[in-house]
Amino acid sequence: MTTRPFIVGNWKMHGTRSMLSEARAIDRAAERLIKVEVALAPPFTLIHAVHKEAGLIAVGAQDCHPADGGAHTGDVSAIMVKDAGASFTIVGHSERRAGYGETNALVKAKAEAAIAAGMSVIVCVGETEDDRAAGKHVDVVTRQLKGSLPDSDGAAERITVAYEPVWAIGTGNTATTDDIAAMHAAIRAKLVALYGEVGEAIRILYGGSVNAGNAAEILTTPDVGGALVGGASLTAESFLGIIVAAAERDEA
Ligand code: PEP
């Protein structure tokens, strides 16, 4: 399993074909920055086009339905996003857990569908501000992991975990590096408890207001295997600052 830092842009509900030039520019830069694994998760409507335009970076979906197909108006299955060019999908993002009432069980079903379709999966977990204030953050995240991660050992090699404190997403507030290190250590312990030795190699990304200014510090925090980036992934210029920081990480 690779140890290259993994930098993933989540475009959320942003982007029409006019944004393909940003994807192309990110792809061209990734060609030079081979120490970093770069990926973009555009909206469903752009997966195929980004896959065609940007040949080097991985392209993924932001969500998928757990069923292969059927009467699910407006939904898109894992098989469909794979067919469109996705090699991974994000599941369990806090905006889906909060906005659509997604439970751990549903997130797990989506993760298993993605793996069954031949993709890898980024499973998001993270506590709310209230959870942290009540001192329950590790407990909450540990329960999310137990409930959301696929069961089988064989799945572990296709899993990335993204720790995204809900209060840090899109707010400009990042967790301190001590808090990130403590949570990533707790996540690592849970991954090993769930998957044994394979759990040691699962990458844990941090997400929550990562930008070019704070990326170097976050990416050198113990057990941070990369970043899941929202707002700062929307332009090549801001995203590249993070990718460059990741490329320089092992030289620091
Ligand atoms: C995200 O949406 O996963 C995210 C981390 O967003 P932002 O970087 O904008 O906080």
Side-chain angles (χ1 to χ4, degrees):
M1 189 169 285
T2 176
T3 55
R4 286 191 299 165
F6 189 24
I7 306 296
V8 185
N10 170 17
W11 279 5
K12 310 194 185 195
M13 198 171 73
H14 298 290
T16 55
R17 281 177 297 158
S18 63
M19 259 175 81
L20 290 174
S21 56
E22 301 296 333
R24 267 196 303 273
I26 292 164
D27 192 61
R28 269 200 302 275
E31 193 173 6
R32 286 182 281 112
L33 299 164
I34 52 165
K35 288 183 183 167
V36 186
E37 193 176 339
V38 180
L40 276 181
F44 289 133
T45 49
L46 288 180
I47 289 174
H48 186 62
V50 173
H51 171 66
K52 287 285 222 195
E53 294 279 340
L56 268 176
I57 60 173
V59 182
Q62 300 169 17
D63 183 39
C64 66
H65 193 280
D68 289 349
H72 302 287
T73 302
D75 282 316
V76 180
S77 74
I79 287 172
M80 290 168 178
V81 295
K82 168 97 179 344
D83 183 57
S87 60
F88 70 94
T89 182
I90 297 169
V91 294
H93 192 283
S94 63
E95 286 155 13
R96 297 209 59 87
R97 289 180 187 264
Y100 297 89
E102 291 196 0
T103 61
N104 289 329
L106 179 58
V107 173
K108 178 176 176 174
K110 290 180 176 201
E112 288 180 340
I115 287 169
M119 292 188 288
S120 53
V121 69
I122 299 176
V123 180
C124 300
V125 292
E127 81 284 359
T128 64
E129 199 163 18
D130 287 350
D131 295 332
R132 185 164 278 271
K136 293 190 298 192
H137 44 290
V138 171
D139 214 47
V140 165
V141 167
T142 303
R143 266 188 284 118
Q144 286 176 336
L145 288 169
K146 187 169 186 306
S148 307
L149 288 169
D151 283 328
S152 96
D153 280 6
E157 288 175 5
R158 290 175 178 260
I159 294 170
T160 297
V161 170
Y163 167 54
E164 300 203 299
V166 177
W167 47 271
I169 295 178
T171 59
N173 302 321
T174 51
T176 65
T177 51
D178 282 352
D179 287 341
I180 296 171
M183 185 61 88
H184 281 222
I187 292 171
R188 176 67 61 210
K190 189 67 188 171
L191 291 173
V192 172
L194 290 169
Y195 296 115
E197 210 178 305
V198 196
E200 295 280 8
I202 293 176
R203 272 185 301 201
I204 309 171
L205 313 183
Y206 170 78
S209 298
V210 177
N211 58 43
N214 60 26
E217 193 184 14
I218 290 170
L219 291 168
T220 49
T221 300
D223 222 347
V224 172
L228 181 54
V229 183
S233 70
L234 293 175
T235 66
E237 192 186 356
S238 54
F239 198 40
L240 287 176
I242 298 168
I243 298 167
V244 168
E248 288 169 354
R249 182 180 77 163
D250 299 327
E251 292 159 12

